[in-house]
Amino acid sequence: MDTVLEIKNLGMSYDTTEGSVSAVDNVSFRIMNGEAMGLVGESGCGKTSLGMCIMKLLPENAKITNGEIIFDGEDIVPKTEDEMRMIRWKGVSMIFQAAMNALNPVYKVGDQIIEAIVAHENIKKEEAREKVRELYKLVGLSPERMENYPHEYSGGMRQRAIIAMALACDPKFIIADEPTTALDVIVQDEIIDEIKNIQKKLNMIMMYISHDISVIAETCDKIGVMYAGNFIEYADTFALFDNPLHPYTKALMSSFPSIEGPKKELKPVPGEPPNLLNPPRGCRFYPRCSYAEEICRNERPEFIESESGHFLACHRVI
Amino acid sequence: MEMLNIEHLTKLFPLKKKLFSRDQQYVHAVDDISFKIEKGKILGLVGESGCGKTTTAKLLVRLLKPTSGKIYIGGEDIAGLKEENLKKFRKNIQMIFQDPYESLNPRLTIHSTIAEPLIAQGLYNLEKIHDALEVVGLKPPEGFLYRYPHELSGGQRQRVAIARALVIDPIFVVADEPTSMLDVSIRAGVLNLMLALRKSFDLTVLFVTHDLAVARYMCDDIAVMHNGKIVETGNAEEVIRNPKHSYTKALLSAVPIPDPRAKRERIRIRGKVV
Ligand SMILES: Nc1ncnc2c1ncn2[C@@H]1O[C@H](COP(=O)(O)OP(=O)(O)OP(=O)(O)O)[C@@H](O)[C@H]1O
Ligand SMILES: Nc1ncnc2c1ncn2[C@@H]1O[C@H](COP(=O)(O)OP(=O)(O)O)[C@@H](O)[C@H]1O
Ligand code: SF4
Ligand SMILES: [Mg+2]
Ligand SMILES: [Mg+2]
């Protein structure tokens, strides 16, 4: 299988008045042709920031401090904004967190997607309109709905339209950032099903960001677990569920209720994630880890392949 | 003993009249529902967005006035009571809201937030506020009293909301999706806290959620709501393992399972294209 995306030692930080926030630190992973990767971790761990690095849509105060983002054989880190404009939409496209609330209320939804296509592809408006009709069918919306305004859509319909927009220029890689978090169970389930089918059908690679590990279990081939800006475990979905190795991953797994199997007591991870202005010097999970040893306090564990295809950053397991 | 007994509870909201139309149309937000909760039990009210859960919750604490029906709390019907006669009940019934970011007044310190219901009942006592903060795990209380909501994390805010609800020793608590805005790791802690409090204070709870896995974890019984009606009630484990109503089956089939090997059949209750 070919590698479509490879991230090597990526680091990104935000400059703030209080200092530098290390939001993505020493992250490495690859996504192969046709694969969906799930990215999990608690709020503030850097999931969206990582997505924004790959899109190179960073705010003024953010900078990529080191590493490479090799997409389709080329490192995009040194690329200029002009070059990125070519890559965005057609190469990498993103379904932004809470984007369904960002549709412009005064324009028809269909027109907003048509505009996006015309701005990025060299085609006429009428062709673009035809394309949007096809996209609507693909995401399970009736094409007549193109004539409606955002407030005439339900939350689920708006999210479908956002997905259609992200697919507008036939990207090879799609980043979906919490696409169902604001939706209720039934609508969430419909959207997940839709995204999964489309990803397979169009043979895109996908990075699916969610804090809900059950959603990831159902959608993704691989799972990356982030903690305080670091990748701490990365493996095949089955391997990660059958044999989670990192203490944080194990803790995360036991903090989810399920409707299946025996009823188990939930064990929340004690404490809070560290302040990324001044993260712990050694392992960033050290203050909350029940397995911590002296070395964990002082030395950052390296992210290495501990079993074939199973990557891990922990002193104890290796 | 029944703590709560509601009978034929109904709430209609008038719709805007169409021009030249003579008939007033209504949304049947809560449509003739009846259920009971035994003292010390947790009843889960589950259903998809818009089915009427929050309206039900607000009726039970009388933030809304029912169109018709009865709400017996400890034997007395509060459905028709006027505001001035509700004061005594306000002490016994408390509500915890969905969004900890909206439900706390940003201009009030934690101390003032928790003091508010005490002052309303003429029961202000600093020690009680200390105790309430300790009970919800915000220790030491002095470290939190004079902070503002924006200086707390989401989980801490929801703990403040719980402390505020418990500080006047209610006998019945209505919790409307108290953890749906919280991160998973924080959510587990807040759920465990509510279970522990129920045990130590023998609280009766109506727990509103759209997450069936959470309902299973928290509740003794479950009532499934659909289009303003209760379509199924029963023991939580029983409803989840053995759903009887087709809507309950559909709802259960939409719940993602934290196990990549689990295969679930999706039951669709709507057509595919919307
Ligand atoms: N003040 C109101 N005026 C008019 N209609 C209302 C009002 N409040 C609620 N409704 C309607 O009543 C129905 C039930 O609403 P409710 O908010 O109780 O649902 P819910 O189950 O809590 O949904 P969610 O999970 O999205 O909060 C909906 O159709 C809603 O639009
Ligand atoms: N524009 C910004 N300026 C400063 N800090 C930021 C900014 N955006 C995010 N951060 C910080 O970066 C970290 C990761 O944030 P984010 O990528 O939003 O995480 P997630 O999506 O997992 O919730 C957090 O500590 C957050 O406070
Ligand atoms: S490196 Fe040490 S502190 Fe970090 S997760 Fe492993 S055992 Fe825990
Ligand atoms: Mg995010
Ligand atoms: Mg609600």
Side-chain angles (χ1 to χ4, degrees):
Chain A
M1 264 200 292
D2 298 334
T3 305
V4 182
L5 178 78
E6 181 170 13
I7 308 265
K8 288 190 194 166
N9 304 323
L10 188 69
M12 186 275 262
S13 62
Y14 296 103
D15 275 325
T16 71
T17 48
E18 288 157 281
S20 164
V21 174
S22 156
V24 175
D25 179 61
N26 204 13
V27 165
S28 302
F29 65 90
R30 335 167 149 202
I31 308 182
M32 308 297 213
N33 195 10
E35 274 184 349
M37 180 195 108
L39 185 58
V40 288
E42 62 201 297
S43 186
C45 74
K47 305 180 294 296
T48 302
S49 301
L50 175 58
M52 293 301 195
C53 285
I54 300 172
M55 291 294 285
K56 289 202 47 199
L57 279 178
L58 295 169
E60 287 275 299
N61 66 331
K63 63 171 184 299
I64 294 180
T65 49
N66 56 284
E68 294 165 47
I69 302 171
I70 302 165
F71 175 63
D72 233 2
E74 274 190 282
D75 184 7
I76 61 172
V77 172
K79 291 209 185 287
T80 62
E81 180 55 26
D82 277 344
E83 292 169 314
M84 277 316 292
R85 239 174 260 139
M86 302 297 293
I87 294 172
R88 268 180 233 135
W89 293 81
K90 285 167 170 283
V92 199
S93 183
M94 184 155 170
I95 300 167
F96 295 96
Q97 192 166 9
M100 56 187 244
N101 304 322
L103 283 167
N104 192 326
V106 301
Y107 295 108
K108 291 175 185 168
V109 179
D111 289 348
Q112 298 189 41
I113 305 177
I114 293 170
E115 282 310 314
I117 297 180
V118 174
H120 294 92
E121 291 203 84
N122 195 10
I123 61 174
K124 293 211 181 66
K125 216 162 183 165
E126 274 324 299
E127 278 174 80
R129 180 175 300 277
E130 196 42 48
K131 177 133 203 214
V132 178
R133 294 181 65 82
E134 291 308 313
L135 286 167
Y136 261 54
K137 287 186 212 153
L138 183 68
V139 299
L141 285 171
S142 149
E144 287 108 68
R145 287 292 192 168
M146 287 165 62
E147 302 307 315
N148 290 139
Y149 292 89
H151 74 267
E152 297 171 285
Y153 279 41
S154 70
M157 290 164 66
R158 258 181 274 162
Q159 194 59 313
R160 284 173 198 265
I162 291 293
I163 295 168
M165 181 155 355
L167 296 173
C169 301
D170 309 308
K172 293 184 187 148
F173 173 26
I174 187 140
I175 302 174
D177 191 359
E178 305 266 12
T180 65
T181 305
L183 306 170
D184 87 24
V185 248
I186 291 183
V187 186
Q188 158 169 298
D189 188 49
E190 290 168 355
I191 300 283
I192 291 172
D193 198 23
E194 211 76 75
I195 291 182
K196 201 164 67 178
N197 290 336
I198 292 171
Q199 184 248 333
K200 295 286 176 221
K201 193 160 147 192
L202 304 184
N203 194 34
M204 298 180 294
I205 64 166
M206 174 164 77
M207 185 162 103
Y208 191 105
I209 301 177
S210 175
H211 63 265
D212 188 338
I213 208 161
S214 18
V215 171
I216 299 275
E218 294 200 344
T219 12
C220 300
D221 311 295
K222 299 265 179 75
I223 300 182
V225 185
M226 263 185 107
Y227 183 79
N230 296 140
F231 251 54
I232 51 110
E233 190 159 4
Y234 184 60
D236 175 82
T237 301
F238 291 105
L240 196 89
F241 271 87
D242 292 344
N243 188 23
L245 297 174
H246 196 281
Y248 176 69
T249 312
K250 290 183 189 174
L252 198 63
M253 299 248 180
S254 55
S255 58
F256 271 91
S258 174
I259 56 165
E260 301 253 303
K263 195 163 149 178
K264 289 182 305 227
E265 195 195 337
L266 301 186
K267 300 204 187 68
V269 192
E272 303 219 358
N275 182 344
L276 295 180
L277 275 170
N278 188 13
R281 179 154 51 105
C283 173
R284 289 187 174 183
F285 189 53
Y286 166 80
R288 299 169 83 185
C289 181
S290 45
Y291 302 95
E293 292 162 17
E294 195 48 36
I295 180 174
C296 308
R297 190 215 308 241
N298 300 314
E299 276 177 47
R300 176 72 51 87
E302 266 184 84
F303 189 62
I304 55 164
E305 192 163 6
S306 77
E307 290 166 18
S308 170
H310 199 141
F311 294 80
L312 182 72
C314 175
H315 290 300
R316 182 177 148 268
V317 197
I318 324 152
Chain B
M1 193 194 85
E2 285 146 25
M3 172 53 66
L4 177 88
N5 182 6
I6 70 171
E7 291 177 359
H8 305 295
L9 193 63
T10 300
K11 179 69 184 176
L12 308 181
F13 291 109
L15 281 173
K16 251 221 224 102
K17 258 196 212 161
K18 285 212 184 79
L19 209 56
F20 307 123
S21 150
R22 259 180 300 152
D23 312 324
Q24 173 66 58
Q25 305 263 335
Y26 294 93
V27 184
H28 293 243
V30 172
D31 195 358
D32 190 8
I33 66 170
S34 301
F35 59 76
K36 294 173 182 173
I37 315 180
E38 302 277 313
K39 183 164 171 30
K41 297 283 184 202
I42 302 183
L43 174 73
L45 184 61
V46 303
E48 69 192 283
S49 182
C51 74
K53 305 180 298 295
T54 300
T55 307
T56 305
K58 286 183 175 165
L59 289 171
L60 297 194
V61 299
R62 279 299 314 273
L63 282 174
L64 283 175
K65 195 168 181 311
T67 306
S68 60
K70 310 234 180 270
I71 305 171
Y72 293 102
I73 292 196
E76 199 167 339
D77 181 14
I78 65 159
L81 286 187
K82 296 235 160 48
E83 192 50 46
E84 58 268 28
N85 300 325
L86 275 170
K87 192 172 171 200
K88 156 171 101 156
F89 287 94
R90 295 251 181 263
K91 178 179 166 352
N92 290 333
I93 323 165
Q94 284 295 313
M95 178 150 171
I96 300 166
F97 293 91
Q98 191 157 358
D99 187 346
Y101 295 84
E102 277 177 15
S103 62
L104 301 180
N105 183 336
R107 282 182 300 270
L108 293 186
T109 60
I110 304 314
H111 167 266
S112 309
T113 300
I114 300 177
E116 220 175 30
L118 287 171
I119 293 167
Q121 297 286 338
L123 297 169
Y124 178 83
N125 174 340
L126 184 60
E127 208 171 314
K128 270 185 178 285
I129 297 176
H130 269 241
D131 292 349
L133 283 171
E134 290 222 352
V135 163
V136 298
L138 295 175
K139 289 182 258 193
E142 304 79 47
F144 290 92
L145 280 178
Y146 299 103
R147 290 206 222 169
Y148 288 89
H150 73 263
E151 297 172 273
L152 303 182
S153 74
Q156 290 172 332
R157 284 181 221 208
Q158 203 53 297
R159 283 168 197 267
V160 170
I162 295 173
R164 177 187 147 97
L166 293 179
V167 73
I168 53 173
D169 304 319
I171 52 177
F172 177 47
V173 172
V174 175
D176 186 10
E177 311 238 19
T179 59
S180 67
M181 303 289 288
L182 300 178
D183 211 62
V184 260
S185 51
I186 306 165
R187 185 173 74 182
V190 173
L191 293 178
N192 284 346
L193 168 68
M194 291 191 66
L195 285 176
L197 294 174
R198 181 274 285 265
K199 221 170 172 178
S200 32
F201 298 101
D202 201 22
L203 282 177
T204 308
V205 181
L206 179 80
F207 191 93
V208 175
T209 178
H210 68 258
D211 186 333
L212 280 139
V214 169
R216 179 193 185 201
Y217 185 65
M218 291 298 290
C219 305
D220 304 293
D221 293 313
I222 287 180
V224 182
M225 195 163 191
H226 182 46
N227 285 342
K229 294 191 161 57
I230 305 270
V231 296
E232 179 163 1
T233 38
N235 170 272
E237 208 57 31
E238 187 57 29
V239 170
I240 280 170
R241 293 195 176 278
N242 239 328
K244 300 260 172 352
H245 195 280
S246 59
Y247 179 73
T248 314
K249 290 179 189 166
L251 197 60
L252 279 163
S253 82
V255 179
I257 311 289
D259 171 2
R261 285 190 179 79
K263 287 270 171 286
R264 62 194 172 88
E265 281 294 324
R266 293 172 153 100
I267 307 170
R268 292 283 183 240
I269 43 177
R270 284 192 281 267
K272 218 177 146 9
V273 174
V274 282

